[in-house]
Amino acid sequence: MGTQTLYDKLWNGHVVHEEHDGTTLIYIDRHLVHEVTSPQAFEGLRLAGRKPWRIASMLAVADHNVPTTDRTQGIADPISRLQVETLDSNCDELGITEFRMADVRQGIVHVIGPEQGATLPGMTVVCGDSHTSTHGAFAALAFGIGTSEVEHVMATQCLLMKKARAMQVLVEGTLGKGVTAKDLVLAVIGKIGTAGGTGYAIEFAGSAIRALSMEGRMTICNMAIEAGARAGMIAVDDTTISYLKGRPFAPQGELWDKAVDYWRTLHSDEGAQFDKVVQLDAAEIKPQVTWGTSPEMVVAVDGNVPDPARESDPVKRSSIDLSLKYMGLQPNTPITEIRIDKVFIGSCTNARIEDLRAAAEVVRGKHVAANVKLAMAVPGSGLVKQQAEREGLDKIFIEAGFEWREPGCSMCLAMNADRLESGERCASTSNRNFEGRQGPGGRTHLVSPEMAAAAAIAGHFVDVRNF
Amino acid sequence: MDKFIQVDGLVVPLDRANVDTDAIIPKQFLKSIKRTGFGPNLFDEWRYLDHGEPGMDNSKRPLNPDFVLNQPRYHGAQILLARENFGCGSSREHAPWALDDYGFRAIIAPSFADIFCNNCFKNGLLPIVLDIANIDDLFQAVTATPGYHLKIDLEQQSIIAPNGVVYRFEVDAFRKNCLLNGLDDIGLTLQHVREIKEYEARRKLEAPWLFT
């Protein structure tokens, strides 16, 4: 076998059948399901007279359409309500485990999987959602799929795939104070571009990655897809194992010990070869702010909005022009002079307990600026919310003028009632600054929770390192 | 799945890089529990001047005359010419459903996002990668020539331009076979039921905690 990368190990461990041309049938251990990308798959299964292959592999939750305000009245929008009810009835009919809206375990699918221990090292994890890459933080092979593939996994427990190339993103050194996992991954995307990882599975490695908590590692892997890579992953270490111990879906007793022995092997071997290696020095990374409509359009907080006149490539120049027009920004404007209207702290990228703690620490004893119309903190799950409330974080946010909401995807993609109005500018801890992503005409700047919190207080972007 | 063998179609150029699936089909239309009917909302925010919501009569909405799909010379286009990293972002299969429902059969670009590319093949929509110099030539030709058609032949893996120039393209052999024959992936995989069961039995012994 020789030396193997982590990706090699995960791939080889799941091969059911391989054709001469490399087309491979890969076995899927965990299938996470949400309401938006599953109804047509359930319907397809039914029309073909098929049953799910292994119901125990499935875990379902509604997260995209759920309201983050009072839920006792249910979902007001009838189309959203129907989609959630369709998931409920599909799960009821087939006996699939689902965390309903009133269940304290409900939350964003990529928060609850790890939180429950439903995501484990060495697993293949899929979901009809591109941010499934998040689960790779546990040394799982985790990636987003379309609805046809959701149906394929339901029907066969497998997917037809070709192996991707392997990229290592090596980050050595120590992140500075006020510089987070979010800044690290935005810096990676800024360096390799949103298509830099296309066709690759990325392993994040190096001392800066090993120093991160599981929450930070999830933030990193979550945004692998924003660099174009379907899967991001990080080797198992003590941090991984201690996070998982005692989680409801994690093994216990003798099985736990056996599992841990296996998990300890889930790292790239010394000298393993990657198709591409990208290196960053953690100490050089500053807090990042996106200025455009693609996550690669990012700059350090002490930088300026770029000038398209200085770009020689016509396609890139046109992209900058279009972005600046949409974003309502002038070339060469210092980032710290950009004033904001709304603040969103949440999403599968940054709505875990550590994110909320960090943001709360920044706003403690201060108040949201007068020009900020709305600042929201949206926990990633009911359990995150409960934990935050035990620590009094809700009070810190509320006293600072934030709204403290119920868990869900919320204004990351604005499928529920939480959205930007046209022209509004938002400091957001989410993952995509695409046109219209947070509401038609809305303008998104991606930042870390600390940076979003500091912007809420100042009313414009500020360098949280000097805040 | 519909077969894809040959298409001789009108080409429309969409001259911007990193077109994401949020732009191809905005989130409010993802609330549908059906696979069809997304065509009128393809590129909704660029195509219409008002804000679209599900249930609206799209035929009565004000069109954005500057958006390329609305220009009369491109009506009925079946081939979309695009720039790099087309289809990035969300995994929503509603994006290829919308392109297909609108009438597109193929997309030609210098590169595609992985999940989008996969989703296209599952829906009889052919994503074709050509190098940037060829893409630039095609953008120039289609803009300069009203009624510009291309003939795509999947069997031959070729695109024939009106001036006789032939562009060759690569396509995965397995996917090509599925498209040419309209094969259903699930049906193909279920030919391997015995191997899937053997794998599961082996895995249960090696990693029993995955089956509790």
Side-chain angles (χ1 to χ4, degrees):
Chain A
M1 210 58 113
T3 58
Q4 297 184 87
T5 62
L6 171 59
Y7 177 55
D8 290 331
K9 292 178 184 180
L10 295 171
W11 177 272
N12 293 338
H14 290 88
V15 174
V16 171
H17 175 86
E18 190 177 344
E19 299 285 348
H20 297 301
D21 72 345
T23 302
T24 306
L25 208 50
I26 289 290
Y27 189 82
I28 302 303
D29 295 312
R30 176 67 69 203
H31 187 184
L32 302 167
V33 177
H34 69 68
E35 80 277 20
V36 181
T37 54
S38 66
Q40 298 87 350
F42 281 113
E43 181 67 11
L45 209 63
R46 205 172 283 124
L47 289 173
R50 292 172 176 139
K51 292 274 179 211
W53 182 282
R54 191 156 74 85
I55 291 195
S57 73
M58 298 171 77
L59 177 62
V61 70
D63 54 5
H64 286 60
N65 282 280
V66 298
T68 58
T69 47
D70 178 19
R71 288 180 173 174
T72 54
Q73 303 302 312
I75 302 173
D77 175 357
I79 315 176
S80 283
R81 189 168 64 235
L82 176 64
Q83 199 164 53
V84 173
E85 286 171 357
T86 303
L87 178 67
D88 294 348
S89 65
N90 281 322
C91 290
D92 278 349
E93 184 191 322
L94 296 165
I96 296 164
T97 304
E98 184 198 8
F99 299 158
R100 295 279 174 102
M101 208 161 74
D103 191 320
V104 71
R105 298 170 298 175
Q106 183 270 340
I108 305 172
V109 67
H110 308 307
V111 174
I112 68 157
E115 183 174 78
Q116 292 295 320
T119 301
L120 295 172
M123 274 184 167
T124 41
V125 180
V126 296
C127 176
D129 193 291
S130 60
H131 290 111
T132 309
S133 57
T134 310
H135 308 264
F138 292 84
L141 177 56
F143 50 90
I145 56 178
T147 298
S148 293
E149 289 186 317
V150 169
E151 185 182 338
H152 195 282
V153 174
M154 284 180 185
T156 69
Q157 209 59 42
C158 292
L159 276 176
L160 279 163
M161 311 181 73
K162 272 198 169 167
K163 197 174 175 188
R165 286 170 290 174
M167 182 191 295
Q168 184 188 44
V169 172
L170 190 62
V171 194
E172 299 287 1
T174 310
L175 289 174
K177 187 173 170 291
V179 184
T180 67
K182 180 67 164 287
D183 303 301
L184 194 164
V185 73
L186 282 171
V188 170
I189 296 163
K191 186 177 168 100
I192 70 172
T194 46
T198 302
Y200 288 94
I202 299 181
E203 180 179 348
F204 296 93
S207 56
I209 303 293
R210 285 193 298 275
L212 293 172
S213 65
M214 287 316 296
E215 285 84 354
R217 295 179 191 186
M218 284 188 259
T219 300
I220 302 273
C221 290
N222 173 274
M223 289 192 72
I225 185 65
E226 284 3 295
R230 273 179 100 173
M233 63 194 74
I234 293 172
V236 168
D237 63 8
D238 291 343
T239 306
T240 324
I241 289 166
S242 51
Y243 178 96
L244 288 169
K245 191 153 179 70
R247 303 252 164 203
F249 286 62
Q252 292 171 2
E254 270 179 49
L255 273 185
W256 168 262
D257 295 336
K258 193 172 169 173
V260 169
D261 286 345
Y262 167 61
W263 295 345
R264 293 274 185 203
T265 68
L266 296 174
H267 53 79
S268 289
D269 296 329
E270 189 75 33
Q273 292 297 306
F274 290 86
D275 298 293
K276 188 172 180 179
V277 177
V278 174
Q279 300 197 47
L280 275 86
D281 178 356
E284 285 178 9
I285 299 171
K286 299 173 181 175
Q288 305 281 306
V289 181
T290 66
W291 51 265
T293 55
S294 166
E296 70 185 15
M297 294 174 162
V298 65
V299 70
V301 63
D302 56 4
N304 296 339
V305 172
D307 188 343
R310 291 165 67 178
E311 175 60 58
S312 55
D313 178 331
V315 175
K316 283 187 184 150
R317 188 166 57 239
S318 146
S319 294
I320 298 174
D321 275 330
L322 286 169
S323 285
L324 294 187
K325 190 168 167 230
Y326 180 85
M327 293 295 288
L329 291 173
Q330 293 303 315
N332 306 311
T333 306
I335 293 293
T336 50
E337 285 181 13
I338 300 173
R339 291 168 70 81
I340 54 163
D341 305 301
K342 286 185 175 170
V343 176
F344 173 61
I345 295 176
S347 87
C348 58
T349 313
N350 280 130
R352 299 181 180 84
I353 188 68
E354 183 181 274
D355 302 314
L356 299 178
R357 283 178 190 145
E361 203 45 54
V362 173
V363 304
R364 184 194 292 273
K366 301 192 175 76
H367 202 276
V368 166
N371 60 301
V372 174
K373 292 182 241 177
L374 173 71
M376 305 163 71
V378 185
S381 72
L383 290 170
V384 168
K385 180 168 186 265
Q386 210 171 52
Q387 173 68 25
E389 288 172 356
R390 265 202 298 271
E391 298 178 17
L393 305 184
D394 56 328
K395 290 192 183 65
I396 297 173
F397 279 116
I398 292 165
E399 280 163 18
F402 272 77
E403 294 194 9
W404 179 247
R405 297 290 188 93
E406 298 296 324
C409 300
S410 182
M411 207 163 71
C412 173
L413 87 167
M415 263 188 90
N416 69 351
D418 310 337
R419 65 189 64 172
L420 297 181
E421 299 302 322
S422 187
E424 282 183 341
R425 189 180 298 286
C426 183
S428 179
T429 67
S430 54
N431 39 59
R432 289 187 174 137
N433 50 355
F434 299 158
E435 284 188 20
R437 173 79 179 181
Q438 294 194 289
R443 294 160 172 169
T444 304
H445 296 270
L446 303 176
V447 287
S448 73
E450 287 90 325
M451 284 287 289
I457 303 303
H460 55 87
F461 290 108
V462 286
D463 189 338
V464 72
R465 293 173 301 177
N466 317 320
F467 191 67
Chain B
M1 186 176 75
D2 290 341
K3 287 183 187 180
F4 186 108
I5 300 167
Q6 285 186 341
V7 168
D8 187 349
L10 182 69
V11 185
V12 57
L14 183 60
D15 195 3
R16 57 191 290 168
N18 296 314
V19 171
D20 57 73
T21 54
D22 275 79
I24 297 172
I25 183 84
K27 85 282 300 205
Q28 62 270 33
F29 305 106
L30 271 51
K31 296 176 187 181
S32 168
I33 56 172
K34 299 195 172 73
R35 267 175 195 266
T36 52
F38 296 101
N41 301 110
L42 174 70
F43 298 119
D44 198 273
E45 287 184 19
W46 294 340
R47 200 161 141 200
Y48 300 97
L49 293 170
D50 64 345
H51 170 64
E53 282 292 334
M56 285 169 88
D57 181 351
N58 294 295
S59 66
K60 297 199 171 120
R61 295 174 57 200
L63 293 169
N64 173 7
D66 296 334
F67 185 55
V68 72
L69 251 55
N70 291 331
Q71 293 170 17
R73 63 180 279 197
Y74 296 121
H75 282 176
Q78 290 183 290
I79 299 170
L80 182 66
L81 182 64
R83 292 289 183 186
E84 57 257 41
N85 202 26
F86 188 85
C88 59
S90 158
S91 63
R92 60 189 68 168
E93 198 162 317
H94 312 67
W97 292 340
L99 288 159
D100 177 65
D101 199 48
Y102 179 87
F104 285 115
R105 300 298 317 281
I107 309 161
I108 305 174
S111 60
F112 294 92
D114 288 339
I115 303 178
F116 175 80
C117 186
N118 228 12
N119 286 341
C120 283
F121 279 108
K122 309 282 181 197
N123 290 281
L125 193 62
L126 179 64
I128 298 175
V129 174
L130 292 183
D131 67 34
I132 289 176
N134 287 331
I135 294 284
D136 283 342
D137 289 348
L138 288 173
F139 265 99
Q140 215 157 31
V142 71
T143 315
T145 324
Y148 191 83
H149 272 60
L150 288 171
K151 191 174 170 191
I152 299 170
D153 185 328
L154 178 57
E155 178 70 56
Q156 297 298 319
Q157 296 179 215
S158 68
I159 302 172
I160 305 166
N163 61 1
V165 172
V166 178
Y167 301 92
R168 306 273 310 161
F169 61 89
E170 294 300 315
V171 59
D172 181 86
F174 174 79
R175 287 167 156 173
K176 176 179 173 179
N177 185 42
C178 289
L179 277 184
L180 285 173
N181 297 295
L183 297 179
D184 163 27
D185 276 5
I186 295 178
L188 290 177
T189 298
L190 288 173
Q191 294 173 3
H192 298 284
V193 164
R194 192 176 51 86
E195 284 161 282
I196 303 171
K197 287 187 170 163
E198 282 169 4
Y199 174 89
E200 268 184 339
R202 201 163 68 235
R203 187 96 170 130
K204 253 180 209 169
L205 292 176
E206 289 166 6
W209 61 88
L210 294 175
F211 293 86
T212 51

